[in-house]
Amino acid sequence: MSLLDIQNLQIAFGASKVVTEVSFSIEPGEKFALVGESGSGKTVTALSILRLSHDADYHGRILFEGQDILQKSEAAMRKVRGKDVAMIFQEPMTALNPLYTIGNQIAEVLMLHEGLSGKVAAQRTVQLLDKTGIPEPARRALAYPHQLSGGQRQRAMIAMALACKPKLLIADEPTTALDVTIQVQILELLNQLQREENMAVLMITHDLNLVRHFADRVGVMEQGKLIETAATHDLFSRPREPYTRKLLASRPHRIVNTEASSDEPLLKGDGIRCNFWIKQGWFRKKQFVAVDNVDLELRPSETLGIVGESGSGKSTLGMALLRLSSATVEGRIAFGKHPISDMASTELRPLRAKMQVVFQDPFASLSPRRTIEQIVGEGLALHQPELGRDGLRRAVAEGLAEVGLSADMMTRYPHEFSGGQRQRIAIARALVLKPELILLDEPTSSLDVSVQQQVLLLLADLQRKYRIAYVFISHDLAVIRAMAHRVMVMKDGAVVESGSTESVLSRPVHLYTRRLLAASTYSTEMIKE
């Protein structure tokens, strides 16, 4: 008998059907992956196993060890959640309670389901954190979520999910926002724990490379339907459906303009150093050097890729280059012929229109209270007040058209768009001012592979059309290989290697660069299957 057997599942929210007649099964100890683009229904299907979508209308059967989940009372479901079936959510920072320590949150699960005393639960919590590879587990158990790194928070979530040794673990995009080396560590950890506990895993992801190295079988979802199920090797070597073939073909390929720019540098930095002062007690402060002695040049129509793990200083450097950093910045920064490092804010303001930013999470960077017209037109209203209301509307409509969106979307709000559409809106907001430089800070890391490719093609097309220079910050080396003319590799605030994309990513010299490349391809040296 299968551990989980989903039969003709249908899920609706009101009159809207989001999942239609989905059927699949998972055997004990099996690793099964559901893949598909955002909106395909994969996450809501996974949530239905724990009945976590309370407004949903379910039809069909979800059999767990032969018992229909959909027929259980809420009280019975509370005994299933966390004990027999556990879940790792995509973003641990929002899934973990910021008001409680990591230890308290894990111990709560043990006390609730296992009936352990507080003292014994605390001891087991430290053991679980140690098992998931968190350094100094006893000390980390006393930390709050914001005091841990992204990888440590994800490990804490895994420790919490495994606390009661569940028979099925649901992992919803568990590595999406993590650096490539941390992704490999988390994947290795899940593989190891799955083998040790003989636990079944349902992986929800849009990362096909991750699926190739993790899953035994794969199910592909499109618009609420499960269109293809096969063994992993068979699906990757002989995909049956056109949609599956499209997903497999969506990995970034090199799309940069190969013509070398002979212009004078648009952006130049010499000896850039960024310092933060960290409080230690009431009266003491400690200086933390986030960026140390970095030199760089960027010409019109050129893309400079900056790569490195979280904490390497790449985003801090990007913000410093545009004079947006809260750090104490030393060194010289020039934008064209303007030495902006020593400019007062009032002197710098006219140049702001020529330097724009696109952030990683468009949902967080777009105001939920403003319409798309107000969001895209805000910079124009500030820098070009002479346009007037009608001129502003025309410019916003043209800006949306540039990124493939229609003018009738101007009255809508960010929550009414998909992730890819929101990122296009963020690009339109930057582009509408006709900038010479755009800082792209992880602009595609949270997007599906096919949407990611669409955004990259859009950025490459805009660069060729307007000769825009990009500073492209990313931990995805496949994206950097596709977009960048030159690459800088950062570690602990310093540049350890730089050069043309071809030389750095094909013939890396520094050990750290080689480690990043090995992690990005999930090499057999780092993943023991």
Side-chain angles (χ1 to χ4, degrees), residues 4-293:
L4 178 72
D5 188 10
I6 295 180
Q7 302 174 358
N8 300 319
L9 178 65
Q10 298 183 51
I11 306 174
F13 292 91
S16 176
K17 283 188 178 181
V18 296
V19 170
T20 306
E21 296 183 357
V22 165
S23 300
F24 65 89
S25 62
I26 300 177
E27 302 300 317
E30 185 182 25
K31 296 180 288 186
F32 184 82
L34 270 183
V35 302
E37 296 173 291
S38 294
S40 63
K42 57 187 187 296
T43 294
V44 75
T45 298
L47 291 174
S48 70
I49 298 168
L50 289 171
R51 295 228 317 258
L52 291 177
S53 297
H54 298 294
D55 297 331
D57 183 19
Y58 299 106
H59 294 280
R61 303 178 79 196
I62 302 176
L63 301 178
F64 182 76
E65 295 188 314
Q67 297 186 24
D68 193 349
I69 290 288
L70 299 182
Q71 302 303 317
K72 286 182 177 288
S73 67
E74 184 60 27
M77 282 305 302
R78 283 196 290 269
K79 295 179 181 179
V80 173
R81 297 177 187 132
K83 182 171 176 61
D84 294 326
V85 184
M87 187 161 186
I88 303 169
F89 294 93
Q90 179 173 355
E91 179 43 70
M93 193 60 181
T94 56
L96 294 170
N97 192 323
L99 301 179
Y100 292 89
T101 65
I102 294 296
N104 284 341
Q105 295 182 62
I106 298 174
E108 181 183 22
V109 177
L110 293 165
M111 293 165 69
L112 179 66
H113 289 294
E114 302 287 331
L116 301 183
S117 66
K119 183 177 181 180
V120 176
Q123 292 171 346
R124 278 278 300 278
T125 295
V126 174
Q127 292 171 0
L128 283 163
L129 291 175
D130 184 49
K131 191 173 184 178
T132 57
I134 290 183
E136 302 179 89
R139 185 169 71 86
R140 296 299 185 186
L142 303 176
Y144 290 88
H146 72 274
Q147 294 175 306
L148 302 183
S149 68
Q152 288 173 337
R153 283 195 294 267
Q154 196 63 285
R155 287 171 185 270
M157 280 289 296
I158 293 171
M160 187 184 304
L162 298 180
C164 298
K165 298 184 178 180
K167 298 169 185 174
L168 173 64
L169 176 67
I170 302 172
D172 187 8
E173 301 279 10
T175 63
T176 297
L178 302 178
D179 300 324
V180 286
T181 51
I182 305 300
Q183 285 180 357
V184 170
Q185 293 171 20
I186 295 298
L187 206 60
E188 283 183 319
L189 175 63
L190 286 174
N191 265 320
Q192 174 193 336
L193 296 173
Q194 184 271 336
R195 287 193 299 267
E196 290 176 358
E197 305 292 344
N198 193 34
M199 174 178 61
V201 179
L202 172 58
M203 175 79 76
I204 310 298
T205 185
H206 63 251
D207 190 334
L208 297 176
N209 206 23
L210 183 151
V211 169
R212 186 197 295 268
H213 290 85
F214 182 80
D216 301 318
R217 288 192 302 127
V218 185
V220 181
M221 293 195 69
E222 180 188 19
Q223 297 180 353
K225 296 180 180 180
L226 187 66
I227 62 169
E228 185 169 0
T229 305
T232 303
H233 178 268
D234 293 340
L235 185 126
F236 277 85
S237 59
R238 296 183 299 276
R240 187 179 71 246
E241 297 294 326
Y243 178 75
T244 307
R245 292 196 290 270
K246 186 189 83 167
L247 286 181
L248 293 174
S250 293
R251 290 299 294 167
H253 56 274
R254 192 152 175 81
I255 52 179
V256 298
N257 179 10
T258 55
E259 294 180 11
S261 175
S262 58
D263 297 332
E264 289 296 312
L266 173 67
L267 180 70
K268 189 172 182 179
D270 294 313
I272 301 173
R273 180 183 171 95
C274 301
N275 307 316
F276 290 94
W277 289 95
I278 303 171
K279 286 186 177 180
Q280 291 189 318
W282 288 99
F283 305 107
R284 296 174 58 197
K285 289 184 179 180
K286 179 183 177 182
Q287 188 182 59
F288 170 69
V289 180
V291 175
D292 191 12
N293 196 31

Side-chain angles (χ1 to χ4, degrees), residues 201-459:
V201 179
L202 172 58
M203 175 79 76
I204 310 298
T205 185
H206 63 251
D207 190 334
L208 297 176
N209 206 23
L210 183 151
V211 169
R212 186 197 295 268
H213 290 85
F214 182 80
D216 301 318
R217 288 192 302 127
V218 185
V220 181
M221 293 195 69
E222 180 188 19
Q223 297 180 353
K225 296 180 180 180
L226 187 66
I227 62 169
E228 185 169 0
T229 305
T232 303
H233 178 268
D234 293 340
L235 185 126
F236 277 85
S237 59
R238 296 183 299 276
R240 187 179 71 246
E241 297 294 326
Y243 178 75
T244 307
R245 292 196 290 270
K246 186 189 83 167
L247 286 181
L248 293 174
S250 293
R251 290 299 294 167
H253 56 274
R254 192 152 175 81
I255 52 179
V256 298
N257 179 10
T258 55
E259 294 180 11
S261 175
S262 58
D263 297 332
E264 289 296 312
L266 173 67
L267 180 70
K268 189 172 182 179
D270 294 313
I272 301 173
R273 180 183 171 95
C274 301
N275 307 316
F276 290 94
W277 289 95
I278 303 171
K279 286 186 177 180
Q280 291 189 318
W282 288 99
F283 305 107
R284 296 174 58 197
K285 289 184 179 180
K286 179 183 177 182
Q287 188 182 59
F288 170 69
V289 180
V291 175
D292 191 12
N293 196 31
V294 171
D295 301 330
L296 60 86
E297 286 187 354
L298 179 65
R299 289 174 169 77
S301 197
E302 185 181 36
T303 300
L304 172 65
I306 304 179
V307 301
E309 297 171 292
S310 292
S312 62
K314 56 188 188 295
S315 291
T316 301
L317 173 62
M319 292 294 107
L321 292 171
L322 271 60
R323 288 282 309 276
L324 295 173
S325 176
S326 59
T328 301
V329 181
E330 302 170 5
R332 184 178 182 275
I333 304 170
F335 182 75
K337 296 181 179 179
H338 305 279
I340 65 173
S341 47
D342 298 321
M343 274 189 177
S345 298
T346 51
E347 294 179 278
L348 189 59
R349 190 169 297 140
L351 294 175
R352 289 288 186 202
K354 299 179 180 180
M355 303 181 289
Q356 293 294 300
V357 187
V358 176
F359 294 99
Q360 176 176 355
D361 184 356
F363 195 68
S365 63
L366 302 177
S367 173
R369 297 185 177 184
R370 297 172 73 88
T371 65
I372 301 310
E373 179 182 357
Q374 292 170 326
I375 289 170
V376 176
E378 184 179 17
L380 278 174
L382 178 66
H383 290 285
Q384 300 178 31
E386 69 279 1
L387 285 175
R389 181 175 177 80
D390 292 340
L392 189 64
R393 284 184 64 85
R394 282 195 300 272
V396 170
E398 290 170 3
L400 291 174
E402 286 276 14
V403 298
L405 300 175
S406 62
D408 60 12
M409 295 178 173
M410 290 196 293
T411 58
R412 292 160 64 181
Y413 291 84
H415 72 273
E416 300 179 74
F417 296 88
S418 68
Q421 287 173 323
R422 284 196 291 265
Q423 197 60 290
R424 287 172 182 266
I425 292 165
I427 293 170
R429 176 175 59 179
L431 187 69
V432 76
L433 289 165
K434 300 294 186 288
E436 298 175 18
L437 168 68
I438 298 181
L439 172 65
L440 301 159
D441 191 359
E442 301 276 12
T444 62
S445 65
S446 60
L447 302 179
D448 300 324
V449 285
S450 57
V451 179
Q452 179 188 76
Q453 183 68 7
Q454 293 169 19
V455 171
L456 294 179
L457 287 168
L458 171 65
L459 290 170

